Amino acid sequence: MKKNIETREDIELLINSFYKKVRQDECIGFIFNDIAKVDWDHHLPIMYSFWESVLLDKYTYKGNAMEPHIRLSKKVKLLPEHFSRWLKLFYTSVDEHFTGPGADAAKERAANIASLMQLKVQQ
């Protein structure tokens, strides 16, 4: 049975599910695997904290989420279809595991983040 997003464990499930899809995706996987060469053991806990801050008001994230993406955009052109795919994979991950106001908030905030990120990397 699906539940609302309420705990750090819920965030970890969501983010692990999402990035598993991202790593295997033919549209955006190369950006993470080949261009950014993400160290997943390092990156995933940062993403847990980021989304815990965004969704649960726990403020465990310390950092500037925009800066690494701006640096990445200097290595590879981040196109609208990349952001659309990222968002689709995120929504799919939310919908697979969760329902309720937390799930709705996660999708809304992800859409806002994707829009802002796209705007910033194109400047």
Side-chain angles (χ1 to χ4, degrees), residues 55-123:
L55 296 176
L56 303 179
D57 296 326
K58 296 286 182 171
Y59 307 111
T60 55
Y61 176 73
K62 309 284 188 250
N64 178 348
M66 206 61 69
E67 182 57 35
H69 296 89
I70 292 169
R71 284 195 316 268
L72 179 62
S73 73
K74 293 177 192 301
K75 295 180 182 180
V76 63
K77 185 168 178 72
L78 299 175
L79 303 171
E81 55 262 30
H82 296 140
F83 289 94
S84 294
R85 181 62 66 98
W86 181 93
L87 199 54
K88 180 182 178 187
L89 295 174
F90 192 87
Y91 283 5
T92 299
S93 298
V94 171
D95 290 339
E96 280 178 354
H97 300 285
F98 301 101
T99 190
D104 295 339
K107 291 190 280 188
E108 181 181 327
R109 295 204 177 124
N112 292 339
I113 289 165
S115 293
L116 179 62
M117 198 75 69
Q118 188 172 352
L119 181 67
K120 291 287 187 180
V121 300
Q122 289 176 347
Q123 291 180 348

Side-chain angles (χ1 to χ4, degrees), residues 41-53:
D41 291 334
H42 176 75
H43 187 65
L44 288 173
I46 294 169
M47 292 298 91
Y48 304 152
S49 292
F50 175 81
W51 285 101
E52 184 179 40
S53 297

